[in-house]
Amino acid sequence: MRIAKSHIFERAYLLDEELSFLDPSLFADSYPLLGIDKCHVKGELSKEDKLIKADLSIAATITLEDSYTAKPFKKKISLEESFDIMEDEDGEGEGFIVPGKAIELEVLVVDLIRFSLPMVVKAPDSKLPSSGEGYSILSEEEAKKSQNQSEGSPFDVLKDLDVQ
């Protein structure tokens, strides 16, 4: 949904939108966010000086990738956000810079959801694996011992390389 900034400047703009389809390209590079299945946005946009003030409530069901298992899982979220929308960086307001004549609501919502996610995302029943192919979990002592044994030049592996 595209909201013309000129409509906001004239009066408060009320939102009550169900975003049923969000283009996957909006969150293609948003690990661990894999999808937004259902999303309802409610709130108000209003003009204050040079800024647009936004007060939004977002209720969504999102698909995330578990940081431990790399398996997708669904999670319901609810956000209450108040922030400024600026035309350009002016050093005064804190919020989102949205140049141009319109605000793309979907882009704004995806950004708000992404920024609300923790650094490590875990499914409710997820546990850190104790072993697996290609790695192992070592105690601090084992790690130091392994590091001491492997010290040497990283180019040592090239000695055995048969180059013709």
Side-chain angles (χ1 to χ4, degrees), residues 44-61:
E44 181 179 295
L45 302 173
S46 59
K47 170 110 167 57
E48 188 175 301
D49 297 324
K50 294 180 181 180
L51 305 173
I52 296 174
K53 297 285 187 182
D55 291 305
L56 299 180
S57 296
I58 300 170
T61 301

Side-chain angles (χ1 to χ4, degrees), residues 91-105:
E92 291 185 24
E94 290 185 20
F96 291 89
I97 298 172
V98 180
K101 296 181 180 186
I103 298 168
E104 294 290 343
L105 183 61

Side-chain angles (χ1 to χ4, degrees), residues 30-140:
S30 297
Y31 171 85
L33 182 62
L34 301 177
I36 301 173
D37 304 317
K38 295 178 184 176
C39 186
H40 188 86
V41 181
K42 202 172 189 175
E44 181 179 295
L45 302 173
S46 59
K47 170 110 167 57
E48 188 175 301
D49 297 324
K50 294 180 181 180
L51 305 173
I52 296 174
K53 297 285 187 182
D55 291 305
L56 299 180
S57 296
I58 300 170
T61 301
I62 60 177
T63 303
L64 299 165
E65 183 175 305
D66 186 290
S67 296
Y68 288 171
T69 64
K71 292 180 181 174
F73 70 98
K74 293 194 183 296
K75 180 178 182 176
K76 289 185 179 184
I77 61 165
S78 180
L79 305 173
E80 299 285 331
E81 299 289 338
S82 295
F83 55 92
D84 298 333
I85 298 174
M86 303 169 282
E87 181 69 29
D88 53 31
E89 191 171 347
D90 66 359
E92 291 185 24
E94 290 185 20
F96 291 89
I97 298 172
V98 180
K101 296 181 180 186
I103 298 168
E104 294 290 343
L105 183 61
E106 289 86 354
V107 173
L108 195 58
V109 166
V110 169
D111 284 346
L112 287 167
I113 290 172
R114 280 186 341 172
F115 298 150
S116 74
L117 297 174
M119 293 295 287
V120 177
V121 175
K122 301 184 296 184
D125 58 344
S126 181
K127 293 189 178 13
L128 187 62
S130 59
S131 65
E133 188 176 328
Y135 72 93
S136 61
I137 296 177
L138 305 175
S139 69
E140 193 172 330

